[in-house]
Amino acid sequence: MKKDNLTVNELLKIQKIFKNKNWEIIETKEFSHFNRYCKRIKQIKLEKERELILELTNNYLWIKEKDYIEHLKIALHNLVKDKDINDKTKIYIIPLKSPTDEDKSKSSDCIAYLFNNCELRYDFSQKIELISQQNIKRYLSESNKIILAVDDFIGTGNTAKKFIEDLLNQFKDLKIEDLAILTLVIQEQAIQNLNTEYPNIKIFRSIKKKKGISDKYSDTELFEKIKLMKQIEKKLDIPNRYLFGYEKSEALVTMIRTPNNTFPVFWYNKKNEDIAPFPRH
């Protein structure tokens, strides 16, 4: 059945999702996330399509900037529990960036900077130091070290693969065993992608996320959900390169910024439109 407005039941479901996730509800504020979300749902006319977006939202992860340090601590605690890490291990931090983005400001720079946080440093006995990619060479001769490439979110793993390949090509004495990746959130497909190319690379994270549709449903239900999402994206005029999220990542994640790996129904705005609940711009 086609709908132009939200039913009372749909509005109650949306309010329940926001309350369960501790997302702020300000109904009087024109551009609140809640009002944006309701506007996006109203753009979706078919009941089954709306139900799918509500289902996906139940599994949506939104990590706000104020929560970054706590998730960073979780990822670091996972690192120091590794059998090859001890109290004397020196941890050298570098932002994880594509070689083409080396001179650009990226989210990985933000994560690297957070390692200056005093509270975080007091929690760990290991020496933690921020270094630049250009200075890696001076640390290669040290024993008991780890060069830790950091980011807030890893979607496909392709950027991380290019990053590792570039480092290994630049620094011939660098061993893959001396490298590791730390991120707040990573898609399971990225872990598989990285482990296929670099089986010995260690990956530490706070949260691992699965694909929103392909990893949740199966058989006839999976076919139906994929069909519904294709219909939704077609009606919203989503560009081909973002269908089901960048490289079909099917992510349900917002960090400080929403990655384009996330289903675009949550972040994509057409020109002169301001509706998406988690816009990228």
Side-chain angles (χ1 to χ4, degrees), residues 15-26:
Q15 289 175 332
K16 183 178 180 180
I17 290 171
F18 270 66
K19 286 177 181 178
N20 286 343
K21 291 183 171 295
N22 291 317
W23 295 350
E24 193 173 27
I25 298 176
I26 309 176

Side-chain angles (χ1 to χ4, degrees), residues 173-225:
D173 294 333
L174 179 63
K175 300 175 183 176
I176 192 70
E177 291 78 15
D178 292 331
L179 274 176
I181 291 170
L182 182 142
T183 184
L184 306 188
V185 182
I186 187 169
Q187 292 288 115
E188 191 173 79
Q189 76 172 108
I191 296 175
Q192 295 168 352
N193 189 10
L194 284 162
N195 285 337
T196 298
E197 188 75 20
Y198 299 104
N200 295 324
I201 192 72
K202 292 184 178 181
I203 303 168
F204 304 100
R205 43 79 183 179
S206 174
I207 296 175
K208 177 176 68 174
K209 291 285 286 180
K210 294 178 177 289
K211 288 188 172 186
I213 292 178
S214 297
D215 290 336
K216 181 179 180 182
Y217 306 100
S218 58
D219 302 328
T220 305
E221 191 176 20
L222 173 60
F223 177 82
E224 177 65 19
K225 302 296 184 183

Side-chain angles (χ1 to χ4, degrees), residues 28-135:
T28 57
K29 188 175 179 182
E30 180 66 18
F31 294 110
S32 70
H33 289 283
F34 178 80
N35 282 329
R36 286 173 183 263
Y37 185 90
C38 289
K39 285 183 178 181
R40 178 45 48 97
I41 295 299
K42 284 195 282 188
Q43 280 188 315
I44 300 166
K45 304 302 183 184
L46 295 181
E47 183 176 0
K48 283 190 175 182
E49 294 174 358
R50 288 185 175 186
E51 287 175 359
L52 173 61
I53 301 306
L54 293 177
E55 284 178 23
L56 294 178
T57 308
N58 277 314
N59 292 320
Y60 203 94
L61 174 69
W62 182 12
I63 297 183
K64 301 179 183 180
E65 187 176 2
K66 64 182 178 63
D67 300 318
Y68 269 38
I69 290 294
E70 291 308 311
H71 284 282
L72 198 52
K73 284 182 181 180
I74 293 170
L76 265 175
H77 277 297
N78 287 330
L79 182 149
V80 299
K81 288 189 294 186
D82 186 87
K83 62 181 178 62
D84 295 323
I85 307 294
N86 56 52
D87 289 346
K88 302 297 182 183
T89 302
K90 295 175 283 293
I91 302 174
Y92 295 115
I93 307 296
I94 55 174
L96 193 162
K97 293 183 183 182
S98 169
T100 57
D101 291 334
E102 198 171 327
D103 296 326
K104 298 178 183 177
S105 179
K106 306 292 285 185
S107 59
S108 56
D109 294 300
C110 169
I111 298 299
Y113 184 76
L114 288 178
F115 279 86
N116 288 312
N117 180 277
C118 293
E119 181 186 352
L120 183 146
R121 285 176 176 265
Y122 291 153
D123 273 13
F124 300 93
S125 59
Q126 289 79 6
K127 175 188 175 183
I128 299 175
E129 181 180 342
L130 275 64
I131 64 173
S132 68
Q133 187 170 321
Q134 292 79 9
N135 291 335

Side-chain angles (χ1 to χ4, degrees), residues 246-263:
Y246 180 69
E247 294 201 359
K248 304 292 187 291
S249 298
E250 299 185 33
L252 292 168
V253 175
T254 288
M255 308 297 290
I256 290 178
R257 188 181 186 213
T258 305
N260 59 16
N261 306 82
T262 290
F263 284 105

Side-chain angles (χ1 to χ4, degrees), residues 131-173:
I131 64 173
S132 68
Q133 187 170 321
Q134 292 79 9
N135 291 335
I136 285 177
K137 191 171 183 178
R138 74 174 63 172
Y139 303 99
L140 293 181
S141 61
E142 293 186 8
S143 58
N144 198 10
K145 65 175 180 305
I146 187 165
I147 296 171
L148 190 63
V150 301
D151 206 348
D152 64 343
F153 173 79
I154 298 177
T156 64
N158 289 338
T159 296
K161 280 169 60 175
K162 292 175 185 174
F163 171 86
I164 295 168
E165 181 183 6
D166 183 60
L167 279 189
L168 294 176
N169 286 335
Q170 276 192 67
F171 306 102
K172 300 302 182 183
D173 294 333

